[in-house]
Amino acid sequence: DLDVELFEEELPPKTKRVLDDDYLESRGWWEESYMDFPVYRSKDFKFKDYILLGVHMYGELVGYVGRHTWSKKKITRHNNKAKINGTYQVLRYRNSEGNEFAKMLGGFDKIVEGETDTAILVEGFMDVANISQELDLFASNDVRAVCTFGKKISEEQIFHLQEKGVRNVIIFYDTDAVEDVKRMDLDKYFNVLVCFADDATGYEAGMDAGDLSAEQIEECLANAKKTNEMFYDRVVIYEL
């Protein structure tokens, strides 16, 4: 009964694909990432200073994440002044508005049916790119990282993972997502392990999977636990 149909999305006017970008390179993007995760820039005035990350599923562009290249601090400063002066405010994200993001998975088309049996679930596209780079997932199809665009996973997203034959799921969310993960109940669909960014040595407040080094990511994965064990460690012990 699920409505899993996704239609092809159009990019904004005057958009072209890019294979290098100063903003993304400042965020540590590798050359391989541009190949696996299509990146676009648009000359349309609404998308000035935005980087567009394409969401491809089943060979079609079904959405895009438009992320402003200014820092959070700069955007806040600009918007505070804009309120006073009555001028335009900057949106941190300007995403596609066609398909629902709750039905899509970023990085999905890199899952190879019949070969990829493990998916690392993260929250955002920058997390996908960082984990793929740091663990060099480009070199093998056994494990792939995909993002759920937030701290939840929908039945439609579960369906798409099953369609590709994924059997094992590692949930690798931010540290504030414990209660969200608790409500997922993924164990009836996959073999599930759970870890969080603060499992890493040297973790600093506010870091997520997109900020961690290879050593930190590997440490988090090595400490991944089954869902019920994670709940005991994270919820029960903290409440005692």
Side-chain angles (χ1 to χ4, degrees):
D1 295 330
L2 292 179
D3 178 12
V4 295
E5 185 178 0
L6 297 166
F7 57 84
E8 192 168 5
E9 182 70 71
E10 290 188 6
L11 289 164
K14 305 175 184 176
T15 297
K16 69 174 184 178
R17 186 171 178 179
V18 296
L19 297 178
D20 61 81
D21 186 86
D22 290 343
Y23 169 73
L24 289 179
E25 283 166 19
S26 74
R27 297 290 304 264
W29 270 51
W30 294 6
E31 182 178 341
E32 290 91 337
S33 291
Y34 292 101
M35 299 293 103
D36 271 18
F37 314 118
V39 177
Y40 306 90
R41 284 280 193 172
S42 174
K43 291 185 178 179
D44 185 274
F45 74 96
K46 287 200 307 184
F47 292 90
K48 184 178 184 297
D49 296 318
Y50 284 88
I51 194 79
L52 305 179
L53 304 173
V55 183
H56 289 77
M57 298 185 66
Y58 304 105
E60 291 186 345
L61 177 76
V62 295
Y64 58 83
V65 174
R67 182 188 180 108
H68 206 286
T69 56
W70 288 1
S71 68
K72 216 172 179 182
K73 187 175 180 180
K74 185 175 179 180
I75 291 174
T76 301
R77 189 166 58 243
H78 170 90
N79 288 344
N80 287 339
K81 289 181 180 178
K83 286 180 185 177
I84 296 170
N85 299 329
T87 55
Y88 80 96
Q89 295 191 28
V90 168
L91 298 175
R92 190 174 179 211
Y93 291 97
R94 191 180 288 275
N95 302 334
S96 58
E97 299 178 348
N99 294 303
E100 296 175 36
F101 277 84
K103 295 182 179 181
M104 300 186 286
L105 291 160
F108 177 78
D109 268 6
K110 300 309 357 173
I111 294 176
V112 180
E113 188 172 356
E115 295 186 39
T116 307
D117 60 6
T118 300
I120 302 174
L121 300 188
V122 291
E123 293 183 32
F125 234 129
M126 301 304 284
D127 302 329
V128 173
N130 188 57
I131 284 184
S132 299
Q133 292 176 171
E134 295 299 324
L135 299 183
D136 197 15
L137 300 185
F138 308 112
S140 171
N141 292 325
D142 296 340
V143 181
R144 289 290 182 179
V146 293
C147 67
T148 55
F149 302 108
K151 298 176 175 64
K152 298 178 181 179
I153 185 167
S154 68
E155 290 184 338
E156 291 84 0
Q157 290 168 327
I158 292 169
F159 173 86
H160 292 307
L161 290 173
Q162 290 181 319
E163 277 283 278
K164 282 292 186 89
V166 171
R167 295 182 300 157
N168 310 306
V169 163
I170 302 173
I171 302 171
F172 196 160
Y173 280 0
D174 297 350
T175 57
D176 60 353
V178 174
E179 288 301 319
D180 298 281
V181 173
K182 187 176 180 181
R183 289 190 288 269
M184 283 182 179
D185 195 22
L186 287 183
D187 294 275
K188 59 187 177 184
Y189 304 109
F190 308 101
N191 302 314
V192 181
L193 292 175
V194 183
C195 62
F196 294 95
D198 66 349
D199 290 328
T201 301
Y203 170 85
E204 297 177 7
M207 291 177 71
D208 54 35
D211 302 313
L212 303 179
S213 66
E215 292 76 13
Q216 289 173 313
I217 293 169
E218 288 170 358
E219 183 178 8
C220 289
L221 294 175
N223 290 324
K225 297 180 175 68
K226 289 188 175 296
T227 312
N228 58 346
E229 293 174 359
M230 182 279 297
F231 291 156
Y232 182 80
D233 289 349
R234 290 270 174 170
V235 180
V236 178
I237 291 178
Y238 291 167
E239 290 177 353
L240 292 178

